[in-house]
Every structure is written in C-alpha cells, then in structure tokens.
Amino acid sequence: MERVRLTIDPRAMGALRQLRGSESERLVLRAGQMQWPDRVEYFVPADGSARVFVVAETEDVPTDAVRGDVVLRRRRHAYEAQVVGEPSVEVEVAELGVRVDRPWRSIAVVGSGRLGSNAAIALAEELEPEDLFLIDSDTLEDHSLDATECFVGDVGRPKVMAVRRFVSETAPDVRARYIIGGVGEREPTFACCRADLIVCAPDRDRARLAASMAALATMRPLLDLGTGIFDDEERGRLAGADVRLVLPGDGCLLCGGALSIERESDVDWTAQRAGSRRSLNQLAVAQGVELLVAYRSERIRSSSWVRLVLGEDGGVDSTAQAWVTDPNCPLCSRQTGRGTAVFDE
C-alpha cells in the first residue's frame, strides 16, 4: 500500500459537496491520468460537467496502474480517498488537503515568434515558473527581428533556441528548455501535457486546436493569444488581439473560442495580414498575464475571452466576448479528462 498526497483544487469542492449531499458514504469518480518520471497524477471530473477536478500525486506506482478510479469516502472528521488502478492497486490517504493556490511550476509556450517570444519573457518574469518549455518548428529569420525577443546573432537558428537564450539572460532563475517541433508531434504534445499551464501563441489555428486538445485531455488551463493587423476595404487598417483563458472542463477553442478545424491547411495567412507590432503583442500578453493572475487569486472562476481593438483615437477598446460551449462539441466529448491515453489511440 503506497502513501500518496491527494489534493482538491479550490474549484473542485463540488466533489465534496456532492458526497455530503448524497446518502451514500462513498463517491466513485472515473479518473484520467498523467504519468511523470517520478509520479502519477490522477484527475477526474467531479460533478459530471468536468468543471472541477481532483488531483492525486503518488510515487512508485506500477505503470499498469496509471488508470482507474478515485474513490472518496466520508469519515467522522475527515474524508478518505483511494486511487484504484488497473489491476487493483489501492492508494489511500487519511485526509484530503485543499490546494489553495496551485503554483505553475512549469509552463509550456507553443510558438516562439513575435508574439510567443514576448509571452515567454513576460511569463518568466511575472510568474517565475521553475521550468519554461518553448515549442516551435521554425527558424529565426531577419524579417522577424522587428518584434521577436531575441539576439541578432541568433538569426538562422531555430526560434526556440534563440528565445531560450534571451530568456536565460533576462530571467536566469527560470530553467528555459526548448523542443523543436510542432504540437501534434509526440514530444511537443507530451511537453504540453506535463506542464501545469499551456500558453498558445502560434500562427495557425490547427496548432491552437492541438494545444487545446492537450489541455482538455490533461485538465490544464490554456491561455491562447492572437494578434493581427489587417487591411479592410471598408474600415481601413484594423489592429487588435484576442486573449482567451480556457479553464479545465470549460469547453475548448473549437466550441467556446470560435476556431475552426475546417480551414484549409495551405491557406496563406500572411497574405491576409498587414504586419505585426511589438506594442500590440505586448498589449495582448499583458492582458493574458492579468487573466492568469486573477485566476490564480480566484478573482475569476470561469473561462474568459477578451478582444482588444486599437481605436483611431489612440485608445484601446476592450470587450468581453461571450464564452458559449457546445455540449456536443466533438473535441470536448472525446478528449476531456482522459489523460495521455487519448494520444495512444
């Protein structure tokens, strides 16, 4: 019998309320899992809607026991939990602790271009994670130097290597790591799954949806950033940003964030854009960091979508977009809370 630490996220107190309100002395919750080198993490939807979850972290659990149920039981002065794996491996704790503020020890940043590099710097300095994983498959070119956070001498190197060196110089206490590849490939995808927070700032929607799938499967919060300057025939030049914070179990970028998987992969998005500005990227990143800080301090408890538009008068218009999820979303229904098993199918 192995001892584990089982904690309940503040948003997961619905699991205990559900147990207290029932006549049963036990509540069985089907668990997804995330396997780390030194532990296995279990997480489960606690109220059927996947809006809240329970996390158990345990060491030295056999590989074949990483899937199973989390069983909560009422006791006179506390709650007891078991993690029941396949085959029958039981892990018990005497009392459930409450995780008031789960720190983001590791953050994965998808995209290391103009926007992603800015996000990496801000996250390293503002949130101070232990590990920052940079994920991108592109090479740094001269034309990107106008807004990419990097050193000129790194032109010609992979973007992730260039941004990593810049982050290491500006935030030396953060372990910046890099992975050359795109989300959807095995190593970058598993890096996202193992991070406590996924931040997405790529050029293409398909990469955003791949990051959203990783967040859904492993119940991780996802911060999605997008900026653009476009020439509109009727309204002239438009500049703005979309900042989406997607909380675990609260839909995905497909249903709540209005992205599409039907777009052709060979669409030349660069032909539709009129450029990029460092100041616009910084504005989007600043909004994203503020959403994360508010979420961590429990000032916001639901997914948010903020649209920023630069006005002709020099001001910034900020509007909250409706976050409406689809109970029949094909991505959410297949991926939510299933853990890394979804990538082995």
Side-chain angles (χ1 to χ4, degrees), residues 230-303:
F230 302 90
D231 286 324
D232 186 274
E233 294 182 357
E234 297 181 357
R235 295 179 290 175
R237 179 157 293 191
L238 302 174
D242 278 318
V243 181
R244 305 174 179 93
L245 176 61
V246 189
L247 301 187
D250 201 10
C252 69
L253 292 179
L254 179 62
C255 63
L259 293 189
S260 172
I261 57 176
E262 303 300 328
R263 296 180 182 178
E264 295 294 332
S265 59
D266 59 355
V267 171
D268 184 8
W269 63 269
T270 58
Q272 302 172 2
R273 296 180 62 181
S276 175
R277 288 169 53 184
R278 178 181 264 109
S279 58
L280 180 59
N281 294 336
Q282 291 172 335
L283 182 64
V285 170
Q287 175 66 78
V289 169
E290 287 305 307
L291 287 179
L292 290 174
V293 171
Y295 167 54
R296 188 170 61 179
S297 62
E298 299 186 66
R299 285 183 283 124
I300 61 174
R301 296 174 177 268
S302 59
S303 297

